[in-house]
Amino acid sequence: DVRPLDLNTATAEELMALPGIGEELSRRILEYRETHGPFAAVEELMEVSGIGEKKLEELRDYITVSDGA
């Protein structure tokens, strides 16, 4: 049983291990996090350029967000 990856603590390498996330998307996710702060919900990932509803649905089982605690 694989634990979901926390979008708020994930490294570029961890993000690239997700299905459909390559180097470019990984970089955009990290840039988004640096600019906007921690993700409040996995749905916020759709704000990142290149990630839409379909991609989010493919990733949903693999990702989570911490509440920052």
Side-chain angles (χ1 to χ4, degrees):
D1 193 35
V2 181
R3 291 188 51 185
L5 183 63
D6 187 340
L7 292 176
N8 291 329
T9 59
T11 65
E13 288 75 22
E14 288 171 330
L15 288 168
M16 284 190 283
L18 293 170
I21 304 287
E23 199 169 334
E24 182 65 25
L25 273 179
S26 166
R27 192 176 56 76
R28 286 191 203 147
I29 292 167
L30 294 178
E31 281 177 1
Y32 183 92
R33 195 171 76 197
E34 283 168 23
T35 305
H36 301 275
F39 287 93
V42 292
E43 288 74 21
E44 197 178 336
L45 201 55
M46 288 199 299
E47 300 294 319
V48 177
S49 174
I51 298 182
E53 215 164 309
K54 186 172 181 290
K55 175 92 63 194
L56 178 67
E57 286 308 316
E58 291 169 5
L59 291 170
R60 195 175 285 277
D61 292 342
Y62 299 98
I63 56 175
T64 187
V65 292
S66 60
D67 56 9

